[in-house]
Amino acid sequence: MKAGFIDEEISPDLDLKSEIMRLKKEKNAVLMVHYYQNSEIQDIADVIGDSLALAQKAVNIDSDIILMSGVNFMGETVKLLNPGKKVLIPDMNAGCSLADSCNAADFEAFIRQHPGHTVVSYVNTSASVKALTDIVVTSSNAKQIIESLPKDEKIIFGPDRNLGNYINSITGRQMLLWDGACHVHEKFSLEKILEIKNEHPGALIICHPECKKAVVTVSDFVGSTAALLNFVGKSDYKKFIVVTESGIIHQMQQKYQDKTFIPAPPIDSTCGCNECEFMRLNTLKKIYLTLKYEWPEISVDKSIAERAKLPITRMLEISNNLRL
Ligand code: 13P
Ligand code: SF4
């Protein structure tokens, strides 16, 4: 056993997909998968979605075991919403640079320096940061939730400065921003995107709001992974330059086979796509071994779990009221 995941030799003849199906049935387990996972994992998901959809669906799960194939904060969110269930993750090392850019002690000090503010945190945060938060948002509902607050409400927004700046620009608010970012989305280069646009002038540029302002500014559409997927389905355009983690392209290709999706490359690579190395730690083999041994298991310290759950519940209630 290696730190963070089970490392065991398995027979190359083992049919991992059918073994996973067998174990899920035997143990009454459900497999939840984020859009940034490898295609073969997406293909066997019981529930697949963006951060908001996964949190929403996590509320109504009646299985005994929930295996969250995504990153740690997603597992924590599921655990906070299902404290009595066993929540597993294929690899404990699947962190998130954005969540890591906001340490709870520093965030608490920041909040203290700015009294009288409502604290809104992106879901990409640790449970300890959520415990300091009034309302959690995801990239799917951030705009609507911020707009639902009184216009003169003073707001601290963390940890993503890019998402925060974007929300400020489209809502006219002046939220006080924590200075964090996602290393994957920060790596998109405007130069390379414009080069691709030059080669494909008929393509639309679509990006995730975690991208830098320069990228957001040249994009034809900005949205969460689910919003991007919806947008390409509704659009009359046939070609899209996709500026987010390239895992979402698998869903786009499967749903809209008559359309072309061009992954935007990161600045430091000659390869075609930008992958989150944390998300991509998860594999079919790790999912199989995690189900077999029911480990690694997500746990959230009792002293923070109750407080951390409140802002998530608040987000789900507001989203529900706004029909998001
Ligand atoms: P979504 O809210 O679109 O699922 O994004 C999650 C994420 O980690 C983006 O990097
Ligand atoms: Fe975190 Fe960025 Fe990876 Fe999303 S893509 S999980 S924000 S590091």
Side-chain angles (χ1 to χ4, degrees):
M1 206 181 280
K2 200 172 165 183
F5 67 96
I6 296 163
D7 193 13
E8 179 181 279
E9 284 284 314
I10 55 168
S11 159
D13 299 331
L14 197 72
D15 180 345
L16 284 172
K17 286 191 179 175
S18 39
E19 280 303 298
I20 291 170
M21 297 301 174
R22 181 183 65 76
L23 285 169
K24 276 197 309 175
K25 202 167 171 197
E26 193 179 297
K27 301 191 176 209
N28 189 25
V30 65
L31 177 60
M32 302 190 83
V33 175
H34 186 267
Y35 288 137
Y36 290 165
Q37 294 294 276
N38 296 324
S39 308
E40 56 190 13
I41 299 178
Q42 295 190 33
D43 290 344
I44 56 162
D46 296 308
V47 178
I48 183 161
D50 70 346
S51 305
L52 177 61
L54 291 172
Q56 286 172 322
K57 287 175 185 161
V59 178
N60 294 315
I61 287 192
D62 50 19
S63 312
D64 299 317
I65 295 178
I66 304 172
L67 174 48
M68 178 67 235
S69 196
V71 292
N72 270 320
F73 76 83
M74 295 176 177
E76 280 188 348
T77 302
V78 172
K79 181 68 185 174
L80 291 168
L81 294 168
N82 295 275
K85 291 192 195 296
K86 191 174 261 188
V87 178
L88 306 172
I89 184 160
D91 189 331
M92 270 296 180
N93 302 309
C96 167
S97 59
L98 178 51
D100 289 347
S101 69
C102 188
N103 163 285
D106 296 340
F107 195 53
E108 189 169 17
F110 184 68
I111 294 168
R112 284 224 181 98
Q113 280 161 19
H114 304 283
H117 285 68
T118 296
V119 180
V120 178
S121 293
Y122 193 27
V123 71
N124 297 41
T125 42
S126 66
S128 316
V129 167
K130 288 188 176 78
L132 301 166
T133 295
D134 296 305
I135 315 173
V136 163
V137 297
T138 78
S139 50
S140 266
N141 60 18
K143 174 180 178 280
Q144 292 87 341
I145 289 187
I146 296 300
E147 280 176 337
S148 75
L149 301 175
K151 278 210 162 58
D152 57 351
E153 191 148 330
K154 292 203 245 167
I155 302 169
I156 284 177
F157 183 88
D160 190 12
R161 60 171 177 259
N162 292 325
L163 177 64
N165 272 320
Y166 174 65
I167 299 295
N168 273 345
S169 75
I170 57 174
T171 61
R173 305 280 172 131
Q174 289 182 318
M175 302 187 298
L176 204 53
L177 306 182
W178 181 263
D179 192 19
C182 155
H183 75 296
V184 177
H185 288 85
E186 286 254 302
K187 265 195 298 196
F188 285 113
S189 122
L190 180 61
E191 212 182 354
K192 290 199 178 193
I193 292 167
L194 292 179
E195 251 172 50
I196 301 178
K197 176 76 180 175
N198 236 354
E199 285 163 29
H200 305 274
L204 288 185
I205 303 173
I206 58 172
C207 85
H208 197 281
E210 285 174 24
C211 294
K212 288 183 285 193
K213 190 176 176 188
V215 170
V216 167
T217 307
V218 297
S219 293
D220 299 293
F221 181 76
V222 184
S224 67
T225 45
L228 297 179
L229 189 57
N230 276 338
F231 176 79
V232 299
K234 287 189 182 141
S235 170
D236 293 334
Y237 280 71
K238 292 280 180 213
K239 235 184 220 182
F240 303 87
I241 300 163
V242 183
V243 195
T244 189
E245 214 276 7
S246 51
I248 185 65
I249 291 180
H250 180 59
Q251 291 298 315
M252 292 174 172
Q253 282 168 338
Q254 288 212 319
K255 286 195 163 174
Y256 310 111
Q257 291 175 5
D258 59 325
K259 302 195 177 190
T260 306
F261 305 101
I262 308 161
I267 191 158
D268 57 354
S269 159
T270 45
C271 91
C273 7
N274 196 358
E275 291 183 349
C276 170
E277 67 268 37
F278 298 116
M279 286 278 184
R280 304 304 180 125
L281 284 174
N282 299 327
T283 60
L284 282 185
K285 179 184 168 186
K286 285 181 188 167
I287 288 177
Y288 161 68
L289 290 170
T290 300
L291 276 173
K292 184 174 171 187
Y293 292 104
E294 300 183 20
W295 193 87
E297 183 176 356
I298 295 276
S299 68
V300 181
D301 201 304
K302 272 206 172 99
S303 62
I304 55 168
E306 234 168 76
R307 279 182 295 139
K309 185 181 174 180
L310 286 175
I312 302 175
T313 308
R314 192 144 178 226
M315 166 185 84
L316 293 174
E317 280 166 9
I318 301 175
S319 296
N320 212 12
N321 291 340
L322 296 172
R323 292 176 201 277
L324 298 169

